[in-house]
Amino acid sequence: MHTGNTQVRVRFAPSPTGYLHVGGLRTALFNYLFARKHGGTFILRIEDTDQKRSIPGALEELITTLTRTGLQHDEGPDVGGDYGPYIQSQRTDIYKQYIQQLLDSGKAYYCFCDEERINRIREEQRKRKRPPMYDGKCRDLPLDEIADKLAQGLPFVIRLRYPKEGKTVFDDVVRDRVAIDNSIIDDQVLIKSDGFPTYHFASVVDDHLMKITHVIRGEEWLSSVPKHIFLYESFGWEVPVFVHLPLLLNSDRSKLSKRQGDVSVESYLEKGYLTEALLNFIVLLGWHSADDREIYSLKELEDAFSLDRINKAGAVFDIEKLNWMGGQYIRTLDVGYIADQSRRFFEEAGIDISDNDKYLKVINTARDYVYCLSMIVEHARMFYDAVTFSEEDRDLIGQEDSRRIFSYWIEALEGQETWSPDDLSVLVKKAIGDLGIKGKNFYFPIRLALFGNCHGPDIPTLIDILGRDESVERLTNALHLEQ
RNA sequence: GUCCCCAUCGUCUAGUGGCCUAGGACACCGGCUUUUCACGCCGGCAGCCGGGGUUCGACUCCCCGUGGGGACGCCA
């Protein structure tokens, strides 16, 4: 791999078709990490040559999402760079110029066959159990006939004149050496009848012009590498290093699709999965360090990552492990940061979190229960909203022992101006002794009164978060609850 | 169908001929901690797809099967 003397330049080249796929995020991540590791350049290029599929606004959302995850690109449509434009639909003049070269050198040819004919011959080939390919009808059209058809304004495409003999052998960092027979490679359409280039043509031209050194992309592109190499060689350009990443899979091991659960990065972010967790989880799908370490920050990955530890086999996207990872980060990261990230969910729920001391305490307690931030509200709202009780709860609250506990605590708290959580622990022990009630009989009623649930944080934590007045009020409400 | 790629616990993976009685993580199960739940800690269950070679010795190398996936678009 020529990473020593060449300046590393890699690109992430998505299509703006609506949302960022988690597989796309992983491709972007691997490109980003490789660039950072080698002090290289990470480029964002937008492949919007299919007008039918391009969605307005998708480009902006894509950039927003990528930026949110921290995978900041060095060159791209929004930040510029020396090799722009970075949006393919703005590069049509460039493609025209290069396709002409191919036409002139005989490496490409005009094809006037319409889609009906193409479909028909493909169908026949399929029936005959042959690989469906263009039959070469226009491959050797006389020049005057071409000129004539062009003059008539007949619709056309431009195809690659791919050699029928020999085989193409190439090296891939992940797959090692791959050999493919040329006879099975089709005369790929390079320029569509609408004048736009296809992926194969545009990406090769752009990768060359943008001085891309390493093409890191999904394995679904492996079988088209011969076409790409043929293009590079036809132009006399240096072929980049290929790195074909193993696919991300559904649990049934088919290519990850939106069939089974969420595949859009936006939806995970929307649910409040931390980008730290998402990235950490996703890098482990197809890459692993030599030791047993699994938790890495993006910064740490920039150092630890290397292409030679990428796996060959596809990896199932296992949400269970993502969830675990999500919980790890929510519990480990600075509580202030988690609080900031959680803020929007509280606002959406209409909860007033203006008391910041209280809010931080709430977050610090509630974060033990969740793996994404949208979940945190349901574990925190009892600290803000009035508690509600089920029929069963009311039975327990109404019992004699429960009422004794409430009265005791109301009195105890009213006599106490300030406290630390430790003081409260002492108070709990004293209460148990004084009342002669212990275990669940003691804890469940009071937790119910304070928190609205028999299960949850310990009593000192609850009282500490609620504060004296709110605690007393809740206990009083429970004491006077209508049966 | 054709071509290409792949193959270690259910899942993500470590392992590059003897360090393997196959290691770690998730999930699952059990225990501890806790008044409870969660967290945390400790422990357990579970795997080299099959068959041939090569070798003194194969998870590791080769071949053949089998299985899975991808590509075969005027989509990327």
Side-chain angles (χ1 to χ4, degrees), chain A residues 272-283 296 321-330 333 371:
Chain A
Y273 281 87
L274 257 26
T275 59
E276 291 85 346
L278 196 55
L279 255 22
N280 194 159
F281 167 68
I282 239 166
V283 80
Y296 287 92
K321 187 151 184 177
L322 202 214
N323 288 162
W324 168 79
M325 188 80 76
Q328 288 297 306
Y329 276 93
I330 287 176
L333 259 25
Y371 52 79

Short mmCIF file of all heavy atoms in Angstrom, two decimals, chain A residues 272-283 296 321-330 333 371:
data_model
loop_
_atom_site.label_atom_id
_atom_site.label_comp_id
_atom_site.label_asym_id
_atom_site.label_seq_id
_atom_site.Cartn_x
_atom_site.Cartn_y
_atom_site.Cartn_z
N GLY A 272 -32.10 9.31 20.27
CA GLY A 272 -31.17 9.68 21.32
C GLY A 272 -30.08 8.65 21.58
O GLY A 272 -29.54 8.59 22.68
N TYR A 273 -29.77 7.86 20.58
CA TYR A 273 -28.56 7.05 20.70
C TYR A 273 -27.40 8.02 20.59
O TYR A 273 -27.39 8.90 19.71
CB TYR A 273 -28.46 6.02 19.56
CG TYR A 273 -29.32 4.80 19.75
CD1 TYR A 273 -30.65 4.80 19.34
CD2 TYR A 273 -28.81 3.65 20.34
CE1 TYR A 273 -31.46 3.67 19.51
CE2 TYR A 273 -29.60 2.52 20.52
CZ TYR A 273 -30.92 2.54 20.10
OH TYR A 273 -31.72 1.44 20.27
N LEU A 274 -26.42 7.89 21.46
CA LEU A 274 -25.27 8.77 21.42
C LEU A 274 -24.41 8.44 20.19
O LEU A 274 -24.18 7.27 19.88
CB LEU A 274 -24.44 8.56 22.69
CG LEU A 274 -24.52 9.58 23.83
CD1 LEU A 274 -25.84 10.35 23.86
CD2 LEU A 274 -24.25 8.93 25.16
N THR A 275 -23.94 9.47 19.53
CA THR A 275 -23.11 9.22 18.34
C THR A 275 -21.85 8.45 18.74
O THR A 275 -21.36 7.64 17.97
CB THR A 275 -22.68 10.55 17.67
OG1 THR A 275 -21.95 11.33 18.62
CG2 THR A 275 -23.88 11.32 17.18
N GLU A 276 -21.36 8.70 19.94
CA GLU A 276 -20.18 7.96 20.42
C GLU A 276 -20.44 6.46 20.41
O GLU A 276 -19.58 5.67 20.00
CB GLU A 276 -19.85 8.40 21.86
CG GLU A 276 -19.33 9.81 22.00
CD GLU A 276 -20.44 10.86 22.10
OE1 GLU A 276 -21.61 10.54 21.81
OE2 GLU A 276 -20.12 12.01 22.46
N ALA A 277 -21.64 6.08 20.88
CA ALA A 277 -21.99 4.67 20.95
C ALA A 277 -22.22 4.09 19.56
O ALA A 277 -21.77 2.99 19.24
CB ALA A 277 -23.24 4.49 21.81
N LEU A 278 -22.93 4.85 18.74
CA LEU A 278 -23.25 4.40 17.39
C LEU A 278 -21.97 4.14 16.59
O LEU A 278 -21.80 3.09 15.96
CB LEU A 278 -24.11 5.45 16.70
CG LEU A 278 -24.86 5.05 15.44
CD1 LEU A 278 -25.74 3.83 15.70
CD2 LEU A 278 -25.72 6.21 14.94
N LEU A 279 -21.06 5.07 16.66
CA LEU A 279 -19.80 4.93 15.94
C LEU A 279 -18.97 3.77 16.48
O LEU A 279 -18.41 2.97 15.72
CB LEU A 279 -19.01 6.24 16.08
CG LEU A 279 -18.90 7.23 14.92
CD1 LEU A 279 -20.01 7.10 13.89
CD2 LEU A 279 -18.76 8.65 15.41
N ASN A 280 -18.92 3.68 17.79
CA ASN A 280 -18.13 2.61 18.42
C ASN A 280 -18.70 1.24 18.06
O ASN A 280 -17.98 0.31 17.72
CB ASN A 280 -18.14 2.80 19.94
CG ASN A 280 -17.11 1.95 20.67
OD1 ASN A 280 -16.73 2.27 21.80
ND2 ASN A 280 -16.62 0.88 20.06
N PHE A 281 -20.03 1.16 18.09
CA PHE A 281 -20.68 -0.10 17.75
C PHE A 281 -20.40 -0.47 16.29
O PHE A 281 -20.06 -1.60 15.96
CB PHE A 281 -22.18 0.02 17.98
CG PHE A 281 -22.98 -1.10 17.38
CD1 PHE A 281 -22.89 -2.38 17.89
CD2 PHE A 281 -23.81 -0.87 16.29
CE1 PHE A 281 -23.61 -3.43 17.32
CE2 PHE A 281 -24.54 -1.91 15.72
CZ PHE A 281 -24.44 -3.18 16.24
N ILE A 282 -20.54 0.51 15.44
CA ILE A 282 -20.47 0.28 14.01
C ILE A 282 -19.05 -0.04 13.52
O ILE A 282 -18.85 -0.80 12.58
CB ILE A 282 -21.09 1.50 13.29
CG1 ILE A 282 -22.26 1.05 12.44
CG2 ILE A 282 -20.09 2.26 12.48
CD1 ILE A 282 -23.11 2.19 11.98
N VAL A 283 -18.06 0.49 14.21
CA VAL A 283 -16.69 0.22 13.78
C VAL A 283 -16.33 -1.24 14.06
O VAL A 283 -15.49 -1.83 13.39
CB VAL A 283 -15.67 1.17 14.46
CG1 VAL A 283 -15.33 0.71 15.88
CG2 VAL A 283 -14.38 1.25 13.63
N TYR A 296 -13.99 2.34 22.35
CA TYR A 296 -13.09 3.33 21.77
C TYR A 296 -13.83 4.63 21.51
O TYR A 296 -14.94 4.62 20.98
CB TYR A 296 -12.56 2.86 20.41
CG TYR A 296 -11.56 1.75 20.43
CD1 TYR A 296 -11.97 0.43 20.34
CD2 TYR A 296 -10.20 2.02 20.51
CE1 TYR A 296 -11.05 -0.61 20.34
CE2 TYR A 296 -9.26 1.01 20.50
CZ TYR A 296 -9.69 -0.31 20.41
OH TYR A 296 -8.77 -1.32 20.41
N LYS A 321 -26.52 -5.42 20.93
CA LYS A 321 -25.19 -4.96 21.32
C LYS A 321 -25.08 -3.44 21.21
O LYS A 321 -24.41 -2.80 22.01
CB LYS A 321 -24.10 -5.64 20.48
CG LYS A 321 -22.70 -5.29 20.98
CD LYS A 321 -21.68 -6.36 20.72
CE LYS A 321 -20.34 -5.96 21.35
NZ LYS A 321 -19.31 -7.00 21.20
N LEU A 322 -25.77 -2.90 20.23
CA LEU A 322 -25.81 -1.42 20.12
C LEU A 322 -26.42 -0.85 21.39
O LEU A 322 -25.94 0.12 21.94
CB LEU A 322 -26.67 -1.02 18.91
CG LEU A 322 -26.53 0.33 18.24
CD1 LEU A 322 -27.84 0.85 17.71
CD2 LEU A 322 -25.83 1.40 19.06
N ASN A 323 -27.50 -1.48 21.85
CA ASN A 323 -28.18 -1.01 23.05
C ASN A 323 -27.26 -1.06 24.26
O ASN A 323 -27.23 -0.14 25.08
CB ASN A 323 -29.45 -1.84 23.31
CG ASN A 323 -30.55 -1.54 22.30
OD1 ASN A 323 -31.48 -2.30 22.13
ND2 ASN A 323 -30.42 -0.43 21.59
N TRP A 324 -26.53 -2.13 24.36
CA TRP A 324 -25.59 -2.25 25.48
C TRP A 324 -24.54 -1.14 25.40
O TRP A 324 -24.24 -0.46 26.38
CB TRP A 324 -24.90 -3.63 25.42
CG TRP A 324 -23.73 -3.72 26.35
CD1 TRP A 324 -23.77 -3.92 27.69
CD2 TRP A 324 -22.35 -3.58 26.00
NE1 TRP A 324 -22.49 -3.90 28.20
CE2 TRP A 324 -21.60 -3.69 27.19
CE3 TRP A 324 -21.68 -3.35 24.79
CZ2 TRP A 324 -20.21 -3.59 27.21
CZ3 TRP A 324 -20.30 -3.25 24.81
CH2 TRP A 324 -19.58 -3.38 26.01
N MET A 325 -24.02 -0.96 24.21
CA MET A 325 -23.01 0.07 23.99
C MET A 325 -23.59 1.44 24.33
O MET A 325 -22.93 2.27 24.94
CB MET A 325 -22.55 0.02 22.52
CG MET A 325 -21.38 0.89 22.19
SD MET A 325 -19.78 0.18 22.63
CE MET A 325 -19.50 -1.05 21.36
N GLY A 326 -24.83 1.67 23.90
CA GLY A 326 -25.49 2.93 24.18
C GLY A 326 -25.56 3.20 25.68
O GLY A 326 -25.24 4.29 26.15
N GLY A 327 -25.95 2.19 26.44
CA GLY A 327 -26.03 2.32 27.89
C GLY A 327 -24.68 2.60 28.51
O GLY A 327 -24.55 3.40 29.44
N GLN A 328 -23.65 1.94 28.00
CA GLN A 328 -22.30 2.15 28.50
C GLN A 328 -21.91 3.62 28.41
O GLN A 328 -21.41 4.20 29.36
CB GLN A 328 -21.30 1.32 27.68
CG GLN A 328 -21.37 -0.17 27.95
CD GLN A 328 -21.02 -0.51 29.38
OE1 GLN A 328 -19.98 -0.13 29.89
NE2 GLN A 328 -21.93 -1.21 30.04
N TYR A 329 -22.13 4.20 27.24
CA TYR A 329 -21.74 5.59 27.05
C TYR A 329 -22.59 6.54 27.87
O TYR A 329 -22.09 7.53 28.41
CB TYR A 329 -21.78 5.95 25.56
CG TYR A 329 -20.51 5.55 24.84
CD1 TYR A 329 -20.41 4.31 24.21
CD2 TYR A 329 -19.40 6.38 24.85
CE1 TYR A 329 -19.23 3.92 23.58
CE2 TYR A 329 -18.22 6.00 24.23
CZ TYR A 329 -18.14 4.78 23.59
OH TYR A 329 -16.97 4.41 22.98
N ILE A 330 -23.88 6.25 27.96
CA ILE A 330 -24.75 7.14 28.72
C ILE A 330 -24.35 7.16 30.19
O ILE A 330 -24.41 8.18 30.87
CB ILE A 330 -26.23 6.72 28.54
CG1 ILE A 330 -26.70 7.11 27.13
CG2 ILE A 330 -27.12 7.39 29.60
CD1 ILE A 330 -28.09 6.66 26.78
N LEU A 333 -20.11 8.73 30.25
CA LEU A 333 -19.76 10.09 29.85
C LEU A 333 -20.15 11.10 30.92
O LEU A 333 -20.99 10.83 31.77
CB LEU A 333 -20.45 10.41 28.51
CG LEU A 333 -19.61 10.32 27.23
CD1 LEU A 333 -18.42 9.39 27.35
CD2 LEU A 333 -20.47 9.95 26.03
N TYR A 371 -30.66 3.09 27.41
CA TYR A 371 -29.58 2.94 26.44
C TYR A 371 -29.64 4.01 25.33
O TYR A 371 -28.75 4.12 24.52
CB TYR A 371 -29.56 1.54 25.84
CG TYR A 371 -30.87 1.06 25.26
CD1 TYR A 371 -31.30 1.48 24.01
CD2 TYR A 371 -31.67 0.16 25.97
CE1 TYR A 371 -32.49 1.04 23.49
CE2 TYR A 371 -32.88 -0.30 25.45
CZ TYR A 371 -33.27 0.15 24.21
OH TYR A 371 -34.46 -0.29 23.70
#
